[in-house]
Amino acid sequence: MSDAAHLPAAPGDRRRFDVESERALAGVRTPSLVVGIVVASGIALVLGLIRLGTPSLWFDEAFTADAVHRSPEWWVDNDQYHVLYDSVARAWTSLAGTSEWALRLPSVFGAMAACALLVVLARKVFDGWVALVSGILLATSPFLVKWSQQARGYTLLLAVSLVATLALLRALERGTRGSWAAYGFAISATVVWHAVAGLLLVPAHLVLIAQRRQKVLPHGPLAAVIFLAVAVPWAATIAMRSTGAGVGMNWLTAPTPAVVAHALLDISGAAGIGLVLAVVGLVVLRLGRRTDLAVWLGVWAFSPFVLALLPSSVRPIFLDRFLIVAAPAFALLAGVAVTGIGRRLGALAAVAAVVATSLGLVAWYQTADRGNWRGEDWRSAVDAVVARNGEADAIVVAPWSARPAAAYYGAPVTGLSSGDSIWLLTWSETGDDISAEDRRALGFGDHVRVEKQQFGWRISAQLWKRPGSP
């Protein structure tokens, strides 16, 4: 009998065998694991490479470009949150360089790995068709494609979270000391990769463990010990770094209902159709008497949103990119819906998902025409200023935290200047102009703006001159 017969997430292999037998009798050949992996990861690769190097780096990506040149001591001493990702990026760029394309390519690899791992996971608890459809739905999700094309660690985080989930399934299957230790380190790595996102995954894992609690002893507590020794101290450290004035997460605000709804539609996949399919998938599982799977996948999909919302009225932590760990559960549930509601309804659901996904992808790719999706065309802004650098005594950036983006494109940035003529590159979440107080802090409070060029709604290049100067 196959290993799938002992899976804790599925109440035995009989149901899975019956589903595959029914399809075989109907002349439908079940896709192999290899086919599912190749198709899903191949789609992720193709969609990730489309115009990968075209958009300008945005604010956060510039931090990655800056971090790869820093020493590991800087990452620790300056309260960095992405130590593991920065380590991967540093190693990668030492070989591939630091072009926009090279900086973003690891995220494409992360999306490929996540889709392949989801196929493996789905094949363990369902059949080959659910695995294939789920992998394709995740690979074509505009939200996943969006983050696969940015020099940030969120698709790699997704891959790490799926490794941890597979490690838990393996530990519950085998029950050995080594398998539980591997799970302990895998779930701890997810938290260290991103403390908020890693903790958002914990409820789904606890549900899976509770459903097969008889499989936990004697070695399961070893995973808990590792988690308490590695993940909890790291999460506590990040929490302390994230409180008080001037910390990196203070820009987050309490989410509005519109923000929450938009995030739910994005992360559920298929440009919002995924949410409907996920609900249908839960119904299919319930009607098929696979309640354990319905509960597990339901918690995996929806509990991250609840956990992120609960503290956000006091200390906002809700951000859609952190919630990416829920995307595989939505893809699995949608895969169950498409393959489990009959051929005609399944075909209609698939067509709706394809249309919605296509529209979402087209909208995403068009953001390159506006510099990037954040309205920050740093490349064009710096090119314009550098081309006319002879007209000014200095180039200043406000706020100073935006310096890495300007420096990446070659701007010789000065911290402050009181010269007669100054180019000012400004970045603002709201698009507002710099205040007189902030200009005085940069050395040119008595100057007059004589020119302003906009490069996306967040960035402007402004020429300021002292009254009476040529």
Side-chain angles (χ1 to χ4, degrees):
M1 185 174 290
S2 68
D3 287 344
H6 306 289
L7 279 173
D13 198 52
R14 180 63 179 271
R15 170 62 183 162
R16 173 179 165 178
F17 177 79
D18 289 346
V19 170
E20 293 187 348
S21 297
E22 289 168 7
R23 288 176 178 155
L25 291 172
V28 180
R29 185 177 179 181
T30 300
S32 69
L33 177 63
V34 172
V35 168
I37 290 174
V38 170
V39 171
S41 60
I43 292 173
L45 174 62
V46 171
L47 295 179
L49 291 179
I50 296 174
R51 63 80 153 136
L52 182 62
T54 301
S56 160
L57 295 186
W58 63 285
F59 195 86
D60 279 17
E61 287 184 292
F63 289 150
T64 299
D66 185 60
V68 298
H69 299 294
R70 301 282 189 168
S71 67
E73 291 79 11
W74 178 85
W75 298 338
V76 176
D77 292 344
N78 287 270
D79 295 341
Q80 299 306 299
Y81 293 84
H82 305 282
V83 173
L84 289 181
Y85 170 66
D86 287 343
S87 300
V88 170
R90 181 181 178 87
W92 167 254
T93 55
S94 67
L95 298 173
T98 56
S99 67
E100 293 101 328
W101 194 89
L103 284 167
R104 291 167 175 155
L105 192 57
S107 293
V108 177
F109 294 153
M112 293 175 64
C115 293
L117 289 166
L118 181 62
V119 170
V120 174
L121 191 154
R123 194 65 179 83
K124 279 181 169 290
V125 295
F126 296 110
D127 68 359
W129 281 108
V130 175
L132 177 62
V133 173
S134 300
I136 292 174
L137 287 170
L138 183 63
T140 57
S141 167
F143 187 79
L144 182 72
V145 174
K146 167 183 173 179
W147 288 106
S148 77
Q149 294 198 312
Q150 298 180 58
R152 302 302 286 164
Y154 297 107
T155 58
L156 289 162
L157 162 69
L158 186 59
V160 173
S161 72
L162 284 165
V163 168
T165 303
L166 284 166
L168 176 56
L169 287 174
R170 184 172 179 269
L172 289 169
E173 290 170 13
R174 299 191 176 185
T176 62
R177 182 184 294 108
S179 63
W180 278 107
Y183 168 64
F185 284 113
I187 188 63
S188 296
T190 307
V191 174
V192 174
W193 193 282
H194 194 286
V196 174
L199 292 174
L200 295 179
L201 187 65
V202 169
H205 283 207
L206 291 177
V207 166
L208 196 54
I209 291 170
Q211 288 176 345
R212 291 297 179 267
R213 51 190 174 276
Q214 69 274 17
K215 302 281 189 176
V216 173
L217 295 176
H219 301 301
L222 177 59
V225 170
I226 294 171
F227 186 81
L228 290 173
V230 178
V232 171
W234 177 260
T237 300
I238 295 300
M240 288 187 290
R241 290 176 179 177
S242 302
T243 57
V247 299
M249 291 181 67
N250 275 352
W251 61 276
L252 287 174
T253 58
T256 64
V259 167
V260 176
H262 194 275
L264 184 59
L265 292 176
D266 279 350
I267 293 162
S268 61
I273 299 296
L275 180 59
V276 177
L277 292 177
V279 174
V280 174
L282 288 172
V283 173
V284 170
L285 289 174
R286 184 68 183 87
L287 293 177
R289 298 181 181 179
R290 308 185 78 180
T291 305
D292 281 1
L293 278 172
V295 172
W296 172 44
L297 293 179
V299 170
W300 186 359
F302 294 103
S303 68
F305 290 86
V306 176
L307 284 181
L309 281 170
L310 286 177
S312 288
S313 60
V314 179
R315 180 68 178 87
I317 62 169
F318 189 96
L319 196 61
D320 60 358
R321 67 197 73 163
F322 301 169
L323 299 166
I324 196 171
V325 293
F330 283 108
L332 285 168
L333 288 169
V336 169
V338 171
T339 61
I341 58 177
R343 289 188 179 183
R344 291 185 179 180
L345 288 177
L348 289 174
V351 169
V354 168
V355 172
T357 296
S358 299
L359 293 175
L361 289 173
V362 168
W364 165 246
Y365 290 132
Q366 287 179 341
T367 60
D369 299 333
R370 301 187 293 275
N372 63 33
W373 70 287
R374 296 284 288 180
E376 305 176 17
D377 192 354
W378 282 103
R379 184 192 297 115
S380 297
V382 171
D383 286 348
V385 168
V386 170
R388 296 173 56 189
N389 198 22
E391 300 179 27
D393 300 313
I395 299 176
V396 176
V397 175
W400 182 245
S401 56
R403 179 203 59 81
Y408 176 83
Y409 288 105
V413 179
T414 301
L416 53 87
S417 175
S418 58
D420 290 337
S421 183
I422 296 167
W423 274 113
L424 172 66
L425 289 168
T426 65
W427 175 90
S428 170
E429 283 278 3
T430 61
D432 295 337
D433 281 337
I434 186 172
S435 67
E437 181 181 356
D438 288 338
R439 283 193 290 106
R440 284 192 292 271
L442 293 171
F444 58 102
D446 58 343
H447 289 50
V448 176
R449 189 177 69 195
V450 298
E451 183 179 343
K452 179 180 179 180
Q453 300 180 47
Q454 205 70 33
F455 297 91
W457 65 272
R458 281 185 170 87
I459 296 179
S460 66
Q462 306 174 12
L463 183 61
W464 292 77
K465 291 189 175 184
R466 193 186 305 276
S469 63

